[in-house]
C-alpha cells in the first residue's frame, strides 16, 4: 500500500490568464467544487492519507480551502445546513495535509523534487493539481497503478490515455512494448510530438507512482530551453537505466480532464454541470435552448 501523494500546484497557469492572475488555476471551480478538491477526493478514495501540496506565491487559498473555518461552521450549524457542512468538512476525510513551497517555478520535475523529504525512502503517488480523472473524480486508476507497481516491482507506473492521433501534439506521449503478461512497458517518452512522429496515441495523464529513485534522476536532469526541469526527462532516464517503467491505460469512463487551457476548462465545467444531480437536468434544457437560438 502507498499512503502518500505529492500534488504539484505551483505553476503560473499563464494559459488561463487573466483568471489566474491572483488565484491558482487549481482553485477554479468546476461545477460546485474547486478542481483541487476533486483531486483530493480521488486520492482519498484510492487509499491516500497524506497529501503534500507543492505550492507557490499566490497559492494560499488552497491552504485556506482545506483548513477548518470555525466561524463558517457555526453559521452553517445555526442555519441547519448540515448538507453543506458535510461538503466542506475536510477533517472527516481522514487525510493529513502538508504544504511546501517551490520557490521558483522551475518546472514539474523541480516541483516533484520538493517532495523528496516528505516521501523519504517510500514510494509515492504524484497527482497533478490541474487534472481530474473521470466525471466527479470517480476513478480508481491510482489503486490499480499502485497494485501494478507492487506486483511488478516497478520503478514507475504512469497513467496513460488513448487520444485521437491528430491531437498528440498537445501531450507527452509514450512508446510502449507489451510484456508477455500483458502489461505495457514504456521504452521512451516524447513531449508534444507531431502526429507523424508520435510513437503511439497514448498520452501521459497526470497520475504517476514513483519509487524514490525518481529523485536521483530529477537531480541529474539538465534544465531545458526555458530553464525548466522536466519530469518526463527524469522518467526517460529511468527507462534508459533499464528500470521497469510501466503504463496503465485509463478506462473510457476515466477520461482525464485537464483544466490547464480554456477550451478544456470550458468543456469540463459544462460536462460536470450537466452531471450535477440537482441542477444538471435543468441546465441541459437551458443549454439546449441557448444552442437552438445560436443556430
Ligand atoms: P503546467 O504544465 O500546466 O504548467 O503544469 P503551468 O505553469 O501550471 O501552466 P502554464 O503552462 O503557465 O499555463 C502542470 C501541473 O504542474 C504544476 C502546475 O501547478 C500544474 O498543476 N507545476 C508546473 C508546478 O507545480 N511547478 C512548476 O514549475 C510547473
Amino acid at each position: 500500500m502507498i499512503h502518500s501523494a505529492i500534488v504539484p500546484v505551483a505553476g503560473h497557469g499563464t494559459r488561463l490568464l487573466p483568471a489566474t492572475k491572483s488565484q491558482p488555476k487549481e482553485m477554479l471551480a468546476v461545477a460546485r467544487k474547486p478542481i483541487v478538491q476533486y483531486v483530493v477526493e480521488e486520492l482519498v478514495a484510492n487509499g491516500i492519507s497524506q497529501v503534500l501540496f507543492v505550492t507557490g506565491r499566490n497559492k494560499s487559498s488552497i491552504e485556506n480551502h482545506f483548513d477548518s473555518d470555525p466561524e463558517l461552521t457555526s453559521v452553517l450549524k445555526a442555519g441547519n445546513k448540515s448538507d453543506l457542512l458535510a461538503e466542506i468538512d475536510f477533517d472527516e476525510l481522514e487525510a493529513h495535509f502538508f504544504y511546501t513551497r517551490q520557490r521558483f517555478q522551475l518546472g514539474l520535475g523541480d516541483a516533484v523534487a520538493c517532495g523528496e523529504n516528505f516521501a523519504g525512502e517510500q514510494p509515492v503517488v504524484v497527482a497533478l493539481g490541474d487534472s481530474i480523472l473521470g466525471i466527479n473524480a470517480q476513478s480508481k486508476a491510482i489503486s490499480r497503478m499502485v497494485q501494478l507497481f507492487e506486483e511488478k516491482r516497478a520503478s514507475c507506473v504512469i497513467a496513460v490515455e488513448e487520444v485521437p492521433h491528430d491531437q498528440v501534439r498537445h501531450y507527452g506521449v509514450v512508446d510502449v512494448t507489451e510484456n508477455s503478461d500483458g502489461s505495457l512497458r514504456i521504452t521512451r517518452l516524447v513531449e508534444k510530438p507531431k502526429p507523424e512522429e508520435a510513437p503511439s496515441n497514448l498520452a501521459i495523464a497526470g497520475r504517476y507512482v514513483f519509487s524514490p529513485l525518481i529523485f536521483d534522476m530529477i537531480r541529474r536532469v539538465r534544465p531545458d530551453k526555458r530553464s525548466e526541469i522536466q519530469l518526463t526527462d527524469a522518467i526517460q532516464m529511468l527507462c534508459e537505466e533499464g528500470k521497469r517503467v510501466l503504463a496503465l491505460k485509463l478506462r473510457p469512463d476515466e477520461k482525464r480532464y485537464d483544466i490547464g487551457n480554456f477550451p478544456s476548462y470550458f468543456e469540463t465545467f459544462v460536462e460536470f454541470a450537466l452531471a450535477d444531480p440537482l441542477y444538471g437536468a435543468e441546465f441541459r434544457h437551458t443549454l439546449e435552448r441557448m444552442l437552438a437560438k445560436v443556430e
Side-chain angles (χ1 to χ4, degrees):
M1 281 300 285
I2 298 179
H3 299 291
S4 304
I6 299 171
V7 181
V9 290
H12 288 301
T14 47
R15 284 169 296 160
L16 292 182
L17 280 169
T20 49
K21 168 71 175 60
S22 63
Q23 65 168 340
K25 67 173 160 184
E26 296 83 4
M27 280 300 291
L28 294 179
V30 165
R32 296 192 197 201
K33 299 177 198 172
I35 293 152
V36 75
Q37 184 174 338
Y38 291 103
V39 176
V40 163
E41 287 172 359
E42 176 197 331
L43 288 170
V44 171
N46 280 276
I48 298 294
S49 53
Q50 307 210 81
V51 179
L52 174 75
F53 291 102
V54 180
T55 72
R57 281 176 293 280
N58 284 339
K59 303 278 180 171
S60 50
S61 56
I62 296 177
E63 233 167 298
N64 295 340
H65 187 72
F66 292 104
D67 198 3
S68 30
D69 184 339
E71 210 178 304
L72 180 61
T73 304
S74 52
V75 168
L76 293 177
K77 269 191 188 150
N80 280 329
K81 302 222 162 91
S82 52
D83 45 343
L84 280 180
L85 200 56
E87 290 199 48
I88 57 159
D89 190 358
F90 301 114
D91 295 338
E92 283 292 299
L93 262 183
E94 292 185 13
H96 298 282
F97 301 109
F98 302 86
Y99 301 87
T100 191
R101 276 206 179 188
Q102 185 187 21
R103 299 190 50 177
F104 302 100
Q105 273 77 359
L106 294 177
L108 182 56
D110 181 69
V112 171
C114 295
E116 183 170 7
N117 286 342
F118 167 79
E121 293 302 308
Q122 299 300 318
V124 69
V125 166
V126 170
L128 300 194
D130 65 352
S131 292
I132 303 170
L133 292 195
I135 201 102
N136 289 323
Q138 278 165 350
S139 163
K140 287 288 164 56
I142 291 179
S143 299
R144 303 202 305 281
M145 291 166 74
V146 168
Q147 197 182 350
L148 188 66
F149 180 90
E150 288 172 347
E151 270 175 22
K152 305 292 173 202
R153 296 171 181 275
S155 294
C156 167
V157 176
I158 306 179
V160 297
E161 179 182 46
E162 280 182 283
V163 296
H165 214 85
D166 58 352
Q167 297 292 310
V168 287
R169 65 166 63 83
H170 303 297
Y171 302 93
V173 171
V174 295
D175 198 354
V176 289
T177 55
E178 192 167 337
N179 293 324
S180 52
D181 59 8
S183 61
L184 296 174
R185 184 167 188 150
I186 298 177
T187 54
R188 189 163 61 104
L189 300 93
V190 191
E191 266 307 325
K192 305 189 169 64
K194 292 184 189 144
E196 60 277 18
E197 287 164 12
S200 73
N201 68 336
L202 297 175
I204 299 172
R207 299 291 183 268
Y208 312 80
V209 182
F210 290 117
S211 82
L213 253 185
I214 192 65
F215 299 111
D216 296 333
M217 300 299 138
I218 294 173
R219 259 191 291 282
R220 284 167 44 188
V221 170
R222 296 252 178 88
D224 66 5
K225 286 183 287 223
R226 291 159 58 206
S227 303
E228 291 191 351
I229 307 283
Q230 295 301 339
L231 183 62
T232 44
D233 289 347
I235 303 171
Q236 177 67 36
M237 278 184 187
L238 284 176
C239 298
E240 284 163 14
E241 299 246 316
K243 305 294 178 202
R244 201 166 292 152
V245 178
L246 303 176
L248 180 119
K249 258 196 224 179
L250 294 178
R251 295 177 178 157
D253 64 346
E254 291 173 328
K255 182 175 165 186
R256 183 242 184 137
Y257 296 95
D258 167 11
I259 298 72
N261 58 75
F262 278 121
S264 163
Y265 174 53
F266 293 163
E267 196 184 318
T268 305
F269 194 105
V270 170
E271 222 175 307
F272 278 54
L274 286 171
D276 189 281
L278 199 57
Y279 302 109
E282 198 184 322
F283 179 52
R284 184 175 298 277
H285 291 310
T286 311
L287 210 54
E288 279 166 0
R289 274 200 306 276
M290 282 165 71
L291 291 173
K293 262 193 218 158
V294 172
E295 275 159 16

